[in-house]
Amino acid sequence: MGKNKILLSVLAGEIGARLQGTDIEVSGIAGVDEAGPGQVTFLSNPKYADQARETKASAIIAKHPVPGAGCAFLLTPDPYLAFARAVERFHPPVRLAAGVSERASVHPTALLGKEVHIGPFAVVAEGAVVGDRVTVYPGAYVGKGVLLGEDTVLYPGVTLYEGVRVGKRVLLHAGCVIGSDGFGFVPTPQGYLKIPQVGTVEIGDDVEIGANTTIDRAALGVTRVGPGTKLDNLIQVGHNVEIGRDTVIAAQAGISGSARIGNRVMIDGQVGLAGHLEVGDGVMLGAKSGVASSLSAKENRAWSGIPAMPHRTWLKMSTLLPRLPELFRRVARLEGAKTAGGEE
Amino acid sequence: MGKNKILLSVLAGEIGARLQGTDIEVSGIAGVDEAGPGQVTFLSNPKYADQARETKASAIIAKHPVPGAGCAFLLTPDPYLAFARAVERFHPPVRLAAGVSERASVHPTALLGKEVHIGPFAVVAEGAVVGDRVTVYPGAYVGKGVLLGEDTVLYPGVTLYEGVRVGKRVLLHAGCVIGSDGFGFVPTPQGYLKIPQVGTVEIGDDVEIGANTTIDRAALGVTRVGPGTKLDNLIQVGHNVEIGRDTVIAAQAGISGSARIGNRVMIDGQVGLAGHLEVGDGVMLGAKSGVASSLSAKENRAWSGIPAMPHRTWLKMSTLLPRLPELFRRVARLEGAKTAGGEE
Amino acid sequence: MGKNKILLSVLAGEIGARLQGTDIEVSGIAGVDEAGPGQVTFLSNPKYADQARETKASAIIAKHPVPGAGCAFLLTPDPYLAFARAVERFHPPVRLAAGVSERASVHPTALLGKEVHIGPFAVVAEGAVVGDRVTVYPGAYVGKGVLLGEDTVLYPGVTLYEGVRVGKRVLLHAGCVIGSDGFGFVPTPQGYLKIPQVGTVEIGDDVEIGANTTIDRAALGVTRVGPGTKLDNLIQVGHNVEIGRDTVIAAQAGISGSARIGNRVMIDGQVGLAGHLEVGDGVMLGAKSGVASSLSAKENRAWSGIPAMPHRTWLKMSTLLPRLPELFRRVARLEGAKTAGGEE
């Protein structure tokens, strides 16, 4: 893979960096430990400077040169961005050849755009509209009346229930389920009665949704994921949730019904949010935190813990938690000093 | 959707409510913010009274009329129940047309009931028995000898391993897996030896199981989900677990092997339960709680926290957690008052 | 199932146990409560001795005989191991008949070993190499250039993205996804830019991966799961993670990108690990713990809590947590004794 050769000076221009060192040809990119001669690598953090000195790579993308390193440098104020561009340069995205497999099941009323790829055993149901250059991998299911924007990709086994609307350039990873019924029941003396879930889901442009993530359809109305938002694997999004734009949510987080998550929010892994609350723009939630009520970045930006508290408070608190037994002993000692009958 | 017109007075009769206001025709139901003229909406909680005054809906299903609201009211002691019925009235369930796709794979020894729907790329394996009016969406897999009760629905990509038994009127959402091997291994000097998982899973009538939820088959015997029980998305149910009837479990909860969960238990999101314990009838477990030993509602009904403690204790405790650093300082101050060498 | 008869004395020899009691024929194995005459059962823990006395089984696999039990005993120092062997004796694994379904989609360039089974609606893409005796259940997807070692089994709906390498005797349960894109984005003023994930995943021999578990491909390089390692259901493994050999990970655990997990590690359910940390050989992580930094078994073997602390500390601490409100009162009382203006 990625065997196209390019001069370091040319690569520098393409990725927005400045070359320091000899201008030789390179042909690939790899991690700092794995990279060999003729390859470029990447240093995100100055604390890995030792690795940089030991790398066999021909050039390192970095913010500053590492003294003592024998290779060239591609210097840039934003090495992460330059790295992303360099990876794409050596591994340009490959689109599957246009065509509809004879072994796919495409309903005659479905509308297919230009140059779509529909793999074997994929289903495109009645009235679905598939935008230009959409890729539907084998075994994916596009329900009745679903809308798929241009250049969107459905990996194997994705399920889109009836009526779901997906924007342009969306990546839906294998096994994710969009539009399943929200979890709504009314207790009755005869057991739970299902509240029919007759709303839908709308996924904005440029969204990515991870493998086996589930997004429930609204009871009434719409569950929304805003444009540019990225969801990792195994996330649960409940019915009528609204997520803003450019928000990132890490794996196994769960968002209960009717919660409203703002723009540019960052939610770390295994976080849980209760229903009907609001998380304001720009809030950051630490891993495993449990959010029971609305949070605003104006009050405080980063939150952690169960229940969520300001991250700095949580850091102090959590350092002291293991010392709780000691604190009990100290208080008992103080009480003992005061009275004859101190507890310990 | 849902364009059939009905007089408010007739709707009131159907959903068990009393009309207060003008008897006009309505044709749909929507959320309080989205509903327009000719539509009904719903007020679950008096604290949303402001929304009720601003709604454009023609009628509101509620417990009490909202002073100052300009629309009609459908009054009932149980608005949630009336709401569920009204949604169903405007969105009656649609069953897919009976028929077996030529592109499905149905084993000649499988027994199919009347009016079943088997979609393309679905598999019904050897000796499976499919009840009347069962719907199997595309790509679902019904293993060898599986039993499916009447009116059960398998959404796309559901997998039922060999021998699993599913009751009547069960809804299995996309990607759920029932009957995968339980997690059982014996450590040996040569590594882990798998304990063959040769039991099965039994799902009662009227159960609903969420998208991508997994239920493991028993090592020996049966993993059971009782009738009327509702499981949300991405839940893990370990081998030999027994769950009673009319229990509800929210998304991403996990139940370890051989745990026994009673009837009418409520388990909130991301809860974890250890193996071999018992959770009594009617117990409620708060979100993210961690249950390490058996709990009974006789002792206490609602539990929260890690490890689980009575919910009221947890509420008090968790409010104090962020003040733990302060408490350490206060104790150090007390100690300092007592001796010269106080810590702070 | 499992109707082949065998003398207890013969069975004892096969499973490494010693018969105490009458040598009769048995024909199956079942749980201690369900077993009937002619069946063998199993006692892992002496505390279940009452069940042993009440069982209707003809023989019990156990470490020591239970006084007062009326049946025979198969005695062994390792009853769990003998049990596993006995289950396998009565339920020998069944391999699906060799053959490639006409309804599978196998690319002409794919290489299939001997006696492979490829079910209907399975896909084997361009250049994939499928080892001898591999079983691919319906609807599984084997991407471009994937390597599958001998005797590996893919249950329905498994997705292996392009280039993933899987060892021998691996069990991949339904719906697991291997090789989906890692979660890597660079923030830019125009929103997040995706870092192309161009590495791969390598799964060692004798690995088992649970239903709906997800393992992301590396950004560059390889995400690795070592030989003999067992993963339960709904686990997330981030990009560039390395997991050693003979490690067991329970359901719903999550491992963030670039974490390195050693050999013979035990990770319990719903544990979360931050990225770029190291968990040493032999470490044990208690259920729901949150690991934010590297841990070594040399320092301490078992860890629990959020953040993770030595398990023994956590046990003491967590017992005291519910008493935190009491501690606040006691400290206020001490302060009150000291000054007139004590808080309570």
Side-chain angles (χ1 to χ4, degrees), chain C residues 161-174:
Chain C
Y161 278 64
E162 178 175 350
V164 164
R165 299 189 287 268
V166 177
K168 300 174 184 175
R169 298 172 301 279
V170 171
L171 294 185
L172 300 175
H173 279 285

Side-chain angles (χ1 to χ4, degrees), chain C residues 30-272:
Chain C
V32 68
D33 292 335
E34 295 85 27
Q39 287 188 309
V40 173
T41 190
F42 162 64
L43 196 69
S44 60
N45 197 317
K47 74 177 176 185
Y48 300 125
D50 278 353
Q51 287 179 295
R53 277 185 281 267
E54 288 164 18
T55 188
K56 297 192 179 69
S58 294
I60 300 177
I61 299 168
K63 204 161 186 172
H64 305 291
V66 174
C71 60
F73 280 88
L74 296 166
L75 299 172
T76 161
D78 191 346
Y80 234 110
L81 177 60
F83 166 67
R85 287 171 174 162
V87 175
E88 184 140 13
R89 174 63 181 72
F90 290 111
H91 302 269
V94 177
R95 199 143 48 79
L96 297 183
V100 177
S101 168
E102 287 181 8
R103 294 174 137 183
S105 171
V106 178
H107 196 275
T109 61
L111 293 177
L112 303 187
K114 294 179 216 154
E115 297 176 54
V116 302
H117 172 99
I118 315 270
F121 319 131
V123 172
V124 181
E126 194 180 338
V129 177
V130 177
D132 295 346
R133 296 172 305 281
V134 160
T135 299
V136 181
Y137 272 85
Y141 176 82
V142 178
K144 198 170 156 183
V146 165
L147 304 184
L148 294 178
E150 299 171 7
D151 298 299
T152 281
V153 177
L154 279 69
Y155 282 100
V158 166
T159 294
L160 304 181
Y161 278 64
E162 178 175 350
V164 164
R165 299 189 287 268
V166 177
K168 300 174 184 175
R169 298 172 301 279
V170 171
L171 294 185
L172 300 175
H173 279 285
C176 74
V177 175
I178 302 182
S180 40
D181 283 353
F183 198 62
F185 303 91
V186 186
T188 77
Q190 294 78 41
Y192 285 97
L193 178 74
K194 180 178 176 70
I195 302 174
Q197 304 288 306
V198 302
T200 190
V201 180
E202 205 171 295
I203 307 289
D205 295 341
D206 301 300
V207 166
E208 181 161 346
I209 295 180
N212 287 343
T213 280
T214 59
I215 303 181
D216 282 347
R217 68 193 311 110
L220 299 173
V222 183
T223 304
R224 256 178 245 281
V225 179
T229 284
K230 313 295 183 185
L231 271 63
D232 201 350
N233 301 341
L234 292 169
I235 290 169
Q236 154 72 356
V237 178
H239 53 178
N240 293 81
V241 165
E242 304 203 4
I243 304 176
R245 55 162 63 223
D246 295 324
T247 280
V248 288
I249 306 183
Q252 296 176 321
I255 305 179
S256 303
S258 301
R260 293 170 62 182
I261 314 297
N263 305 322
R264 298 176 313 283
V265 172
M266 302 182 77
I267 299 181
D268 210 339
Q270 298 184 341
V271 167

Side-chain angles (χ1 to χ4, degrees), chain A residues 30 80-81 103 121 155 173-174 208 212 230 232-233 246 249 251-252 270 288 318 321 325 335 338 343, chain C residues 102-104 121 161 175 192 194-195 212 214 216 234 236 252-254 270-272 289 317 320 323 330 334:
Chain A
Y80 234 111
L81 177 60
R103 293 175 135 181
F121 320 131
Y155 282 101
H173 278 285
E208 181 160 348
N212 286 343
K230 313 294 183 186
D232 201 350
N233 300 342
D246 296 324
I249 306 183
Q252 295 177 322
Q270 297 184 341
K288 273 189 172 294
S318 63
L321 267 184
E335 291 168 332
K338 206 167 56 100
E343 163 189 357
Chain C
E102 287 181 8
R103 294 174 137 183
F121 319 131
Y161 278 64
Y192 285 97
K194 180 178 176 70
I195 302 174
N212 287 343
T214 59
D216 282 347
L234 292 169
Q236 154 72 356
Q252 296 176 321
Q270 298 184 341
V271 167
S289 49
M317 186 281 288
L320 294 170
R323 290 175 55 197
R330 284 163 61 188
L334 286 167

Side-chain angles (χ1 to χ4, degrees), chain B residues 48 87 98 234:
Chain B
Y48 299 126
V87 175
L234 292 169

Side-chain angles (χ1 to χ4, degrees), chain A residues 136-214:
Chain A
V136 180
Y137 271 84
Y141 176 83
V142 178
K144 199 171 155 182
V146 165
L147 304 183
L148 293 179
E150 298 170 7
D151 298 298
T152 279
V153 177
L154 280 69
Y155 282 101
V158 167
T159 294
L160 305 181
Y161 278 65
E162 178 176 349
V164 164
R165 298 189 288 268
V166 177
K168 300 173 184 173
R169 298 172 300 279
V170 172
L171 294 185
L172 301 174
H173 278 285
C176 74
V177 175
I178 302 182
S180 40
D181 284 353
F183 199 62
F185 304 91
V186 186
T188 77
Q190 294 78 42
Y192 285 97
L193 179 74
K194 181 179 176 68
I195 303 174
Q197 304 288 305
V198 302
T200 190
V201 180
E202 205 170 295
I203 307 289
D205 295 341
D206 301 299
V207 167
E208 181 160 348
I209 295 181
N212 286 343
T213 281
T214 58

Side-chain angles (χ1 to χ4, degrees), chain C residues 271-290:
Chain C
V271 167
L273 294 100
H276 296 272
L277 54 72
E278 196 157 343
V279 174
D281 295 350
V283 165
M284 300 170 71
L285 299 175
K288 273 188 172 293
S289 49

